[in-house]
Amino acid sequence: MSDVVPVDVDAVAARVAEVRDRIAAAGGDPQRVRLVAVTKGFGPDAVIAAHAAGVLDVGEGYAQEMAAKVEALADGPRPLHWHFVGRLQTNKVRLVAPSVDLWQSIDRDAVGDEVAKRSPGARVLVQVNVSGEAQKGGCEPGGTADLVARLGELGLSVAGLMAIGPSGDPEASRPAFRALRTLADDLGLAERSMGMSDDLEIAVSEGATIVRVGRALFGSRPDPRSGTGRMRH
């Protein structure tokens, strides 16, 4: 995390208020739609700033970066709930297993096996590829029920589903988010994590219970894995 971008505490507080206003304008209850501040690419100060603005849920996408922040914030603000929102590599699960409150990106049996081994009884979401884009993670919609059942057999607590909307026009996310909501309803799952900086209004109007927001809170930052790309959250 040597190239982290500093954050302005006052600016983050103002942006949190703006995002909550967006949730309300889309028909959601800001007290019931959980806002997860995605701080990947930023340092521990982003977590502190989000917490100071009343955001208790923090999302991370890279295991090593999350582990470093958890260590740096060992004496930091409380309460704080860590969400893992990125694609999971089975060999990295052990790095963050003691700290993750909600695993949002379980998309295959092997990952579920490792999480169950390292964090028995953990709360998880199944990531579903509702956009059909090959570069995005997630199980196929038709395989969701089987994966949910398998995770339950492993002793994991499946709280709901997660999805990433298609790239491009935010309105194009509507059918995908609607499909996720329907699938969650059919499976009797309460949580629907969907919607990011660009398309959170669409997600909220389609029944999101969790939105994952980075750029709208902290600004754009380079993707540490590509060197040039931008993180979309």
Side-chain angles (χ1 to χ4, degrees):
M1 302 196 319
S2 58
D3 297 324
V4 294
V5 181
V7 300
D8 182 310
V9 174
D10 292 335
V12 170
R15 290 168 178 170
V16 166
E18 289 171 1
V19 168
R20 294 201 189 282
D21 285 345
R22 289 172 63 187
I23 290 170
D29 181 349
Q31 300 304 314
R32 296 176 66 88
V33 177
R34 192 181 319 175
L35 172 58
V36 176
V38 180
T39 61
K40 63 184 182 180
F42 290 92
D45 59 334
V47 179
I48 294 170
H51 188 275
V55 181
L56 308 183
D57 296 273
V58 176
E60 289 294 329
Y62 303 125
Q64 288 171 299
E65 183 179 338
M66 177 179 167
K69 284 181 190 167
V70 169
E71 182 177 2
L73 293 168
D75 297 318
R78 295 291 184 276
L80 197 62
H81 311 298
W82 294 93
H83 297 236
F84 197 86
V85 300
R87 295 185 93 167
L88 265 170
Q89 297 173 281
T90 55
N91 64 339
K92 298 294 179 63
V93 170
R94 61 181 176 78
L95 293 177
V96 294
S99 305
V100 174
D101 292 287
L102 182 62
W103 302 84
Q104 290 212 24
S105 50
I106 308 298
D107 61 357
R108 59 194 188 278
D109 286 353
V111 172
D113 289 340
E114 190 65 17
V115 170
K117 174 183 175 183
R118 302 287 182 178
S119 185
R123 292 182 74 245
V124 304
L125 304 182
V126 168
Q127 182 175 352
V128 184
N129 188 343
V130 289
S131 73
E133 296 170 285
Q135 73 273 22
K136 292 197 169 103
C139 68
E140 292 299 317
T144 305
D146 287 344
L147 182 54
V148 167
R150 167 65 177 157
L151 297 176
E153 291 170 358
L154 291 170
L156 296 172
S157 175
V158 183
L161 307 179
M162 183 269 254
I164 300 172
S167 303
D169 180 4
E171 185 62 37
S173 295
R174 190 176 297 280
F177 292 155
R178 186 170 296 168
L180 191 82
R181 181 194 66 199
T182 299
L183 189 52
D185 287 348
D186 290 346
L187 294 171
L189 300 172
E191 299 284 7
R192 301 91 171 246
S193 176
M194 54 191 191
M196 297 189 285
S197 292
D198 290 335
D199 56 12
L200 70 86
E201 285 91 350
I202 307 299
V204 169
S205 69
E206 292 297 336
T209 63
I210 301 171
V211 293
R212 312 177 306 276
V213 181
R215 180 165 41 78
L217 299 181
F218 308 111
S220 296
R221 68 280 198 203
D223 184 334
R225 295 214 168 180
S226 69
T228 57
R230 294 288 179 181
M231 293 179 179
R232 188 174 162 226
H233 287 278

